[in-house]
Amino acid sequence: MTTKMHRRLEEAFAAGGDLLLTQLRCPAALLTEGAPVGAPVDADGTARVDLLIRAGRIAAVAAPGGIATDAPRLSLEGRHVWPMLVDAHTHLDKGHVMGRAPSSGGTHPGAREATTRDRIAHWRHDDLIHRMDFGLSCAEAHGVAAIRTHLDSHEEQGETVWGAFAEIREAWKGRVALQASALVPFDAWGTDYAVRLADIVAEHGGLLGGVTRPSGGTHGALDDIEALLDRVFTLAKERDLDLDLHVDEAAEADALPHVARAAIRHGYEGRVTCGHCCSLARLPEPEMHATIALVKAAGLSLITLPTVNMYLQDRVPGRTPRWRGVMPIHELRAAGVPVAVAGDNCRDPFYAYGDHDMLDTWREAVRICHLDHPFGDSAGLAGTAPAAICGFEAGSLGAGRRADFMVLDAWSLDQIIARPQSDRLLVREGRVLDIRPPSYEALHLARSETEPEPA
């Protein structure tokens, strides 16, 4: 953002009272009611609109010149204005342990082992609070308004991690809205601990979840996946909880149809989210489309995590990966299945990179999944779509919504893709935020208080 425009925006909001923002662009997919009547819409689905801001909320959205008001006005000269975005699948409890956790080698088995060792050694209340807070500070500085996180909820860990989450959710109220889903190996739902875990989740208003594995016939498969699904669905139904499951992240896996049939069997259509679903893209076309039809009938929502899946899938030392692990988004959306893009892990053994930046995640998803030429409604995958899946009031601009948005120094979607938008300007409730991503120094200082210097 140019210094001149930044200053003009700050001064306009600081004056108080109504403010009419004119000549701005926003993808129609990120407008609550779509493009207003009469608003010009370009070939990439971006609408030209005016916004009236009143008392920290959006009072009106209209085509240029369509809002009658005597309020002061400020032209954004055609720049893009986006709502703050939604990350519907991440892992705040795992995040920001790079340099502390053992090396994972970038593989699933290595990541599981490294995370287990770090969890046992370090995941105490203060450690969880500090790292969750750091991750949320990153997200807030990048314009993320709402997050659903998965929480490792092993028997010896459940109370601790959910207690820390409850504290951090309260501390961040009004800044980043938070939800959480339990994450355990799926076998845990067949143990005595399952009832206690379901009660912990219900106490905190969360979702039940877990990491499914393939059905019988492959290494590490579950022969009793149907019985385990029936157990977790029954526990959820008894407590009126939704489910969010990790499904088919491996190259060859077949749990998704089992989940869909269980949702139908238990009358849970529209209440189940499945993340990853990578192996769906490996099926022969007729089988893939039949599975997608079953997913649609079950009312499942799917979340794709392309950056992390590409990091982990098909990694063999000294060999270039042959398969990149991307969910078939185009086919799912064409069938009417709700789909969203999310960030997943951040600087932990499952993904060594990331910064809780959903705009960056969306930019990567466009390039990886060919969501362009034209862009169409793809911007909604990071805003309106995840908000609808999770039930968040975020991810879109519309009359009555909070005036929470980001102003980008870009005039077209290809310009947004081309640069990281690190100079984006954030507005919350009609005031410019003066925040930056937290320094990594905060992590190093916290560790130096509890960990000895390496020899």
Side-chain angles (χ1 to χ4, degrees):
M1 185 69 56
T2 63
T3 302
K4 181 179 178 181
M5 177 55 70
H6 193 150
R7 184 169 57 251
R8 289 172 63 194
L9 280 162
E10 286 185 324
E11 291 173 351
F13 281 116
D18 291 1
L19 176 65
L20 182 65
L21 297 177
T22 67
Q23 292 301 311
L24 60 93
R25 289 180 167 93
C26 181
L30 294 176
L31 295 170
T32 304
E33 304 296 334
V37 174
V41 180
D42 67 21
D44 282 320
T46 297
R48 274 202 167 209
V49 297
D50 292 349
L51 296 181
L52 179 62
I53 311 300
R54 174 179 295 150
R57 292 193 170 267
I58 299 172
V61 181
I67 300 176
T69 179
D70 294 328
R73 62 187 59 209
L74 175 64
S75 172
L76 296 186
E77 302 169 350
R79 287 176 173 82
H80 267 253
V81 172
W82 283 38
M84 293 189 179
L85 300 178
V86 176
D87 191 346
H89 181 131
T90 191
H91 296 263
L92 291 173
D93 59 341
K94 286 185 173 76
H96 302 286
V97 297
M98 291 302 295
R100 183 182 83 180
S103 174
S104 71
T107 67
H108 275 285
R112 287 193 297 269
E113 172 65 20
T115 298
T116 298
R117 290 173 61 186
D118 187 74
R119 175 171 55 81
I120 292 171
H122 299 290
W123 288 25
R124 310 298 182 260
H125 181 85
D126 289 350
D127 174 67
L128 288 162
I129 289 291
H130 185 73
R131 290 187 293 103
M132 287 183 181
D133 187 75
F134 187 90
L136 288 167
S137 296
C138 296
E140 180 185 43
H142 293 307
V144 174
I147 289 175
R148 176 183 288 179
T149 182
H150 295 261
L151 300 175
D152 279 26
S153 303
H154 301 77
E155 185 167 2
E156 71 282 4
Q157 186 72 32
E159 284 88 349
T160 300
V161 71
W162 280 91
F165 171 75
E167 182 176 323
I168 208 76
R169 179 174 57 186
E170 181 64 25
W172 278 82
K173 185 181 295 184
R175 294 166 65 188
V176 178
L178 292 173
Q179 297 176 355
S181 178
L183 184 63
V184 288
F186 219 57
D187 316 63
W189 293 115
T191 69
D192 293 339
Y193 171 60
V195 173
R196 174 60 186 145
L197 176 56
D199 287 341
I200 293 171
V201 174
E203 178 186 347
H204 293 287
L207 299 90
L208 299 190
V211 183
T212 63
R213 295 211 303 272
S215 59
T218 60
H219 177 70
L222 291 173
D223 292 323
D224 55 350
I225 187 171
E226 296 290 352
L228 290 169
L229 283 166
D230 284 340
R231 183 86 191 284
V232 72
F233 271 88
T234 298
L235 291 168
K237 196 169 187 177
E238 290 172 350
R239 294 157 180 80
D240 195 25
L241 302 177
D242 289 357
L243 293 104
D244 193 331
L245 305 169
H246 284 56
V247 179
D248 294 351
E249 191 171 357
E252 306 297 337
D254 64 353
L256 185 58
H258 293 276
V259 174
R261 287 190 289 267
I264 295 170
R265 189 162 64 245
H266 289 270
Y268 247 55
E269 293 92 341
R271 300 192 63 178
V272 181
T273 301
C274 297
H276 297 289
C277 304
C278 304
S279 63
L280 189 57
R282 303 270 285 187
L283 298 175
E285 290 286 320
E287 188 177 347
M288 180 185 71
H289 287 290
T291 302
I292 290 174
L294 178 60
V295 166
K296 171 64 175 175
L300 303 185
S301 298
L302 303 191
I303 298 180
T304 184
L305 310 149
T307 53
V308 176
N309 288 142
M310 289 180 64
Y311 174 79
L312 290 170
Q313 299 291 353
D314 202 23
R315 185 186 287 266
V316 178
R319 171 182 170 275
T320 303
R322 307 290 193 264
W323 177 58
R324 307 312 295 122
V326 175
M327 180 193 292
I329 299 177
H330 294 276
E331 293 81 355
L332 288 160
R333 298 182 80 204
V337 176
V339 178
V341 168
D344 206 8
N345 300 78
C346 187
R347 296 189 61 252
D348 66 34
F350 286 89
Y351 188 60
Y353 316 113
D355 203 30
H356 297 289
D357 183 349
M358 274 305 299
L359 183 59
D360 181 67
T361 294
W362 178 79
R363 292 168 60 245
E364 291 293 336
V366 169
R367 290 183 280 222
I368 293 166
C369 302
H370 294 173
L371 298 170
D372 50 3
H373 305 297
F375 291 93
D377 60 354
S378 64
L381 291 169
T384 47
I389 289 171
C390 298
F392 286 124
E393 187 177 326
S396 62
L397 302 179
R401 293 294 181 94
R402 279 182 19 167
D404 294 353
F405 52 84
M406 46 187 162
V407 183
L408 309 176
D409 208 35
W411 284 255
S412 62
L413 285 170
D414 64 274
Q415 291 174 2
I416 293 175
I417 294 289
R419 289 182 178 173
Q421 306 303 322
S422 55
D423 59 350
R424 70 195 76 169
L425 185 145
L426 305 180
V427 175
R428 181 190 292 133
E429 295 187 278
R431 62 182 181 85
V432 177
L433 297 182
D434 183 18
I435 55 174
R436 300 289 184 273
S439 170
Y440 290 125
E441 181 183 23
L443 291 176
H444 290 292
L445 289 175
R447 289 175 189 171
S448 67
E449 294 173 359
T450 58
E451 300 175 16
E453 289 293 328

